Amino acid sequence: PGPTMMDLKVDEEEVESGQPVSLEAFASSSTLHGLSHIFSYERLSVKRIFWTLCFLGSFALLVFVCNERIQYYFRYPHVTKLDEVTTSNMTFPAVTFCNLNEFRFSRVTKNDLYHAGELLALLNNRYEIPDTQMADEKQVEILQEKANFRNFKPKPFSMLEFSDRAGHDIREMLLSCLFRGEPCAPEDFKVVFTRYGKCYTFNSGQSGKPPLLTMKGGTGNGLEIMLDIQQDEYLPVWGETDETSFEAGIKVQIHSQDEPPFIDQLGFGVAPGFQTFVSCQEQRL
């Protein structure tokens, strides 16, 4: 009892005198568990060493767990759950395709060439035909005639009208079309303008027509089309640009009716002279 009374007296004197409170006094009144056993007025003992080790071990474990949880948080973990659902019918996706050649050579007029010749890399900035070593002689003759701008008075030009008029026509490209064994026609394709110019979408779900349904997968239960890419109408190419390409064929994208086609980013190429089979699977996130 004697030492305890003396300790309390010392604490009271320190508080009354306005001096800083000693570490032992602070620890004895602290609610932090174990601190009062570490910093006490007793001499160094096994008990104080034991409490010190426990306190440091607990603090180290706290720092480790907090650090691990913070790192886990910044990894942004997520869980993706996939459920396979069986259905008797499904909405057939929209199918968009574009000819890799944006404009038909025979539909390019002198006025088109005057306004868009440099854009199509058919003329240079001086309205002259560049090096023609890679071009067909007949095409060069026609181009030279159209590129003669002497006494020519340019007319107003619209890129949208030019794309619509000079782009490939589905009525000329479509040789055969079947959906689930039933014939389909050019009227079943909707015109859409993309990075590749005038393109066509089958089963767009627009123009008052509901989306078509399919009962099962496999060959003969989807869309089958045969196209003429009209390679004889391809523009002569002196060099590859954003509007012209050395490639021939079509580009295709399969997408839902709710999303517009991003065929330049998400489409895949189909080469001419080959039969191409494409299967797809719907995934909803």
Side-chain angles (χ1 to χ4, degrees), residues 231-280:
Q231 196 166 352
D232 56 323
E233 285 277 21
Y234 273 41
L235 294 176
V237 180
W238 329 126
E240 195 164 14
T241 68
D242 290 339
E243 305 299 327
T244 58
S245 172
F246 289 116
E247 301 169 347
I250 63 171
K251 203 155 190 183
V252 183
Q253 182 188 351
I254 301 172
H255 56 97
S256 69
Q257 284 77 13
D258 298 328
E259 61 177 315
F262 295 99
I263 198 163
D264 57 314
Q265 302 175 23
L266 304 177
F268 58 91
V270 176
F274 292 89
Q275 185 176 16
T276 304
F277 296 89
V278 181
S279 63
C280 60

Side-chain angles (χ1 to χ4, degrees), residues 108-155:
V108 178
T109 65
K110 180 173 291 192
N111 191 61
D112 299 331
L113 196 62
Y114 180 86
H115 290 283
E118 186 178 354
L119 177 68
L120 302 177
L122 297 176
L123 304 177
N124 57 27
N125 56 3
R126 297 188 299 273
Y127 294 94
E128 298 173 347
I129 301 174
D131 186 15
T132 59
Q133 294 181 359
M134 300 176 62
D136 180 70
E137 292 184 4
K138 185 177 180 181
Q139 281 187 321
V140 173
E141 291 178 4
I142 298 174
L143 190 61
Q144 287 174 340
E145 181 181 348
K146 291 181 179 181
N148 183 7
F149 298 117
R150 290 183 180 178
N151 303 321
F152 173 71
K153 295 182 179 179
K155 301 175 184 177

Side-chain angles (χ1 to χ4, degrees), residues 38-62:
I38 299 173
F39 301 99
S40 67
Y41 292 104
E42 298 178 3
R43 293 181 180 179
L44 185 62
S45 62
V46 176
K47 177 182 176 182
R48 289 180 65 183
I49 296 174
F50 173 75
W51 275 104
T52 302
L53 293 176
C54 290
F55 180 84
L56 293 177
S58 301
F59 183 75
L61 180 62
L62 173 65

